[in-house]
Amino acid sequence: MRIAICVKEVPDPTAAKRIDEGTMRLVRSGENTLNPYDRHAIEAAVQIKEGPAPDTEITIVTVGPESAGRSVDRALAQGGDQSVHVADEAAAGSDLLGTARILAAALKRGNYDLILLGQQAADSECYVMAGLVAELLELPCVTQAASIELGDGAVTVKRQVETGYDTVKAALPCVVSVSDAINDPRYPPLPAIMGAKRKPHEIVSLAELGVDAATVGAAGAGTAIGGLSKPEGRGDTIVIEDDGSAAEQLLAFLIEKKVVA
Amino acid sequence: MAGIAVLCEVQGGQIAKGSLGVLEEAARLGAALGEPVDAIVCGSGLDDAAMGALGGFGAAKVIVADDAALASGIAQPVVDACATAQESGQYRYWLAGASIMSADAMAGLAARLGAGIVIDAVELHGEGGALVTRRSGLGDSVLAHCGFTTPVGVVVTRANAFAATEGNGGSAPVERIAPAFRSYSQAVQLVGHEDAEDSGPDIGAADVLVAGGRGLGDAAGFALVEECASAFGGAVAATRAVVDAGWYPYSAQVGQTGKTVTPKLYVACGISGAIQHKVGMQGSGTIVAINKDKNAPIFDYADFGIIGDLNTVVPKLTELVKARG
């Protein structure tokens, strides 16, 4: 079984984020990290390899600058066997469709049986990448998987929808995005972290993938940001650290706001 | 390209409330841009009179794709139906509210059409003769004014961003189309469905909701939340993650796939506050967050946040509230 996992490097959730008003892009020069939602997809693949399909080969696939290699290593440490990293300056500024085009081109070369994604990206909160990539690859797509079972050349997925739980079955190859409820990702042990760098890393350009640079990146974006504004907020937020009196302070606040009589 | 298509979703035999809100907002946008608005409905066994009633919510025409392949609520056959509607309608914009199915269907349609896609739009404006969305970003601290450079633009609006009225009772002509289905679009089969159980307390009516998330550690952690809710005379709510994990029943779930609640007080315990949760509770009067992770997004939209261990803060709060009687 060949499994690919699409991962993304995102700004560290602990860092303050801002948008450059010149380029309208998220400033990514600070500390970056592997998208936490992607760790659930990697864990799901590792559990397949540990369980029903021990001969599974797991490939980490990403689009991003060369510096994103650190997050690729992080993903490999958690359980990938090898990586394909599309690093090309012309990919910078890609919107959702552009990113999907690049991922689809990288995935097409690999003849994967199962393509996994996390449910969303922590920076953009984008939850549609699986649907975009699946359509470009003309593959069946299941999103928000809360459990995955493999058997008979098909994947059976339980997923929560608005009306309850659906169980759906799709023949492989298939694109599946997993919900963050599917598992509790394990942290890799130190030897796995040390060993990640020695796993096969392939860095490819758009030309090597046969992607026309005019269809991706800032040049090929189908969406354009023309300005930024401040939303109406809820007003001031009071945030305190508990020093033993937090419950008292909260109650005083609720009494003052007349929420508690 | 001309006109606006709104994908209106059928849930439990009825047009979803969220879709009606988007349709009405699209009608306002259409009036500003001088573009007619069509409602697109996909399903099986759909009734012409019921579909025509979408005219009362702003649709000039209702395009109905009625096929057994569209009965399951799986997104990819809906992509095929929308693509068929696009062939005859040549719409300039496609809009849908963010349900699980509609978001997936709009993603597939955007990829099929090579159309730019904006997700999580919270406002729709006609500016300079074109649609410019407001897309919320960075934990809702900024609104990006996002438009399109492609001939067709696809928008998924944030769940609950546009509330529906009761409509004006009008009706619109219904046109039926026969979707051209693709083989891979029909490869996902629905093999089972469990309805959400709606027994248990009605969290929608509670003045105070104390909600628990993954930060409770395990199902037993809900005891703290239940005691606190009872001290306030309120009810218990839960996040999708803990419902999926089996810690608490679905009927208590708040968020995009759960209930939308607007209590006077919402106390979030061990909830990080992802967008899917936020859209279900952001209309609450006062929002309190208790979380040990100071970077949890919920602190961005809480009125009062406590960075601390809920295992000490919540029981103490319970005692204090009880003591006030």
Side-chain angles (χ1 to χ4, degrees):
Chain A
M1 153 106 30
R2 291 171 61 79
I3 301 180
I5 304 163
C6 300
V7 304
K8 184 183 187 189
E9 184 174 80
V10 298
D12 191 319
T14 64
K17 293 186 278 287
R18 67 181 182 88
I19 293 175
D20 182 312
E21 299 212 9
T23 63
M24 297 295 180
R25 292 185 204 162
L26 183 60
V27 176
R28 297 179 186 275
S29 57
E31 278 295 299
N32 292 316
T33 183
L34 178 64
N35 176 32
Y37 293 99
D38 297 342
R39 299 183 58 238
H40 296 275
I42 302 168
E43 177 69 31
V46 170
Q47 287 183 12
I48 288 168
K49 190 170 178 169
E50 287 174 346
D55 62 339
T56 293
E57 187 179 62
I58 301 172
T59 305
I60 304 296
V61 180
T62 200
V63 182
E66 293 220 16
S67 58
R70 285 205 320 169
S71 291
V72 171
D73 286 345
R74 191 71 181 65
L76 287 169
Q78 208 197 315
D81 296 304
Q82 58 195 9
S83 67
V84 175
H85 179 172
V86 188
D88 195 312
E89 278 178 25
S94 289
D95 65 356
L96 298 176
L97 183 60
T99 303
R101 282 175 171 148
I102 300 169
L103 283 172
L107 291 163
K108 211 159 200 165
R109 297 154 83 230
N111 291 315
Y112 301 105
D113 302 299
L114 182 61
I115 295 166
L116 296 178
L117 296 90
Q119 67 174 27
Q120 71 199 74
D123 53 354
S124 61
E125 309 244 32
C126 164
Y127 46 78
V128 292
M129 195 49 70
L132 288 163
V133 166
E135 177 61 32
L136 293 173
L137 292 171
E138 304 197 338
L139 289 179
C141 179
V142 182
T143 59
Q144 297 285 345
S147 71
I148 293 179
E149 265 179 63
L150 287 168
D152 305 331
V155 59
T156 302
V157 166
K158 192 172 173 187
R159 62 196 298 253
Q160 196 187 104
V161 295
E162 281 77 2
T163 52
Y165 286 91
D166 279 353
T167 303
V168 297
K169 190 171 183 179
L172 300 176
C174 179
V175 177
V176 176
S177 80
V178 305
S179 96
D180 59 351
I182 192 171
N183 54 40
D184 280 315
R186 288 163 286 181
Y187 282 94
L190 192 59
I193 294 170
M194 303 300 285
K197 278 194 183 4
R198 292 192 297 275
K199 291 181 176 172
H201 290 66
E202 188 188 6
I203 297 198
V204 293
S205 66
L206 294 176
E208 286 170 287
L209 291 178
V211 174
D212 177 358
T215 64
V216 301
T223 52
I225 297 175
L228 301 174
S229 57
K230 273 289 213 197
E232 273 178 49
R234 289 184 62 90
D236 288 342
T237 297
I238 299 168
V239 179
I240 59 166
E241 272 194 63
D242 183 25
D243 58 0
S245 70
E248 282 92 349
Q249 291 184 59
L250 169 58
L251 189 66
F253 172 84
L254 295 175
I255 291 165
E256 186 199 315
K257 289 272 173 189
K258 299 191 166 47
V259 180
V260 170
Chain B
M1 303 293 160
I4 300 169
V6 180
L7 177 62
C8 292
E9 192 167 338
V10 180
Q11 279 172 8
Q14 302 227 311
I15 301 291
K17 264 242 144 75
S19 295
L20 296 176
V22 177
L23 181 56
E24 289 184 313
E25 186 64 19
R28 284 186 282 273
L29 173 70
L33 292 175
E35 303 270 12
V37 176
D38 288 354
I40 317 294
V41 190
C42 301
S44 179
L46 300 173
D47 173 62
D48 269 5
M51 297 303 113
L54 288 170
F57 296 85
K61 205 165 55 182
V62 183
I63 311 292
V64 172
D66 195 320
D67 193 293
L70 297 166
S72 63
I74 289 169
Q76 282 174 303
V78 175
V79 176
D80 292 338
C82 292
T84 302
Q86 177 64 13
E87 266 175 41
S88 50
Q90 295 290 306
Y91 299 105
R92 188 179 179 195
Y93 300 113
W94 277 82
L95 307 179
S99 70
I100 300 274
M101 190 286 281
S102 292
D104 289 349
M106 288 298 101
L109 184 68
R112 178 91 54 100
L113 301 177
I117 178 168
V118 172
I119 59 164
D120 210 21
V122 293
E123 295 171 29
L124 307 172
H125 297 271
E127 292 172 6
L131 164 59
V132 181
T133 65
R134 298 289 182 272
R135 193 261 197 245
S136 189
L138 304 186
D140 284 354
S141 62
V142 65
L143 288 175
H145 302 204
C146 199
F148 297 97
T149 62
T150 40
V152 181
V154 176
V155 181
V156 181
T157 61
R158 175 177 288 188
N160 305 328
F162 306 111
T165 69
E166 295 298 311
N168 63 18
S171 72
V174 173
E175 196 179 292
R176 293 195 169 240
I177 57 167
F181 292 112
R182 296 189 173 188
S183 60
Y184 66 88
S185 296
Q186 294 188 292
V188 180
Q189 296 295 326
L190 183 68
V191 295
H193 178 79
E194 293 164 45
D195 260 330
E197 283 174 46
D198 244 355
S199 56
D202 181 9
I203 64 168
D207 276 345
V208 177
L209 281 176
V210 184
R214 214 182 251 281
L216 291 175
D218 53 33
F222 264 96
L224 290 181
V225 172
E226 283 171 341
E227 284 157 22
C228 188
S230 142
F232 275 112
V236 174
T239 64
R240 189 204 57 179
V242 299
V243 170
D244 271 355
W247 297 2
Y248 221 72
Y250 186 102
S251 61
Q253 183 178 314
V254 167
Q256 184 171 325
T257 48
K259 295 196 170 72
T260 300
V261 294
T262 54
K264 288 187 187 125
L265 173 63
Y266 190 93
V267 183
C269 306
I271 294 175
S272 67
I275 184 68
Q276 289 88 342
H277 186 71
K278 179 178 182 177
V279 297
M281 47 65 78
Q282 63 187 343
S284 302
T286 298
I287 297 172
V288 172
I290 303 166
N291 201 303
K292 66 176 193 293
D293 174 9
K294 68 178 194 315
N295 302 301
I298 193 140
F299 287 126
D300 294 338
Y301 55 94
D303 300 295
F304 195 97
I306 297 173
I307 302 161
D309 182 357
L310 60 89
N311 293 303
T312 56
V313 176
V314 176
K316 202 152 179 197
L317 179 64
T318 304
E319 286 311 311
L320 290 170
V321 174
K322 264 192 200 157
R324 290 184 64 82

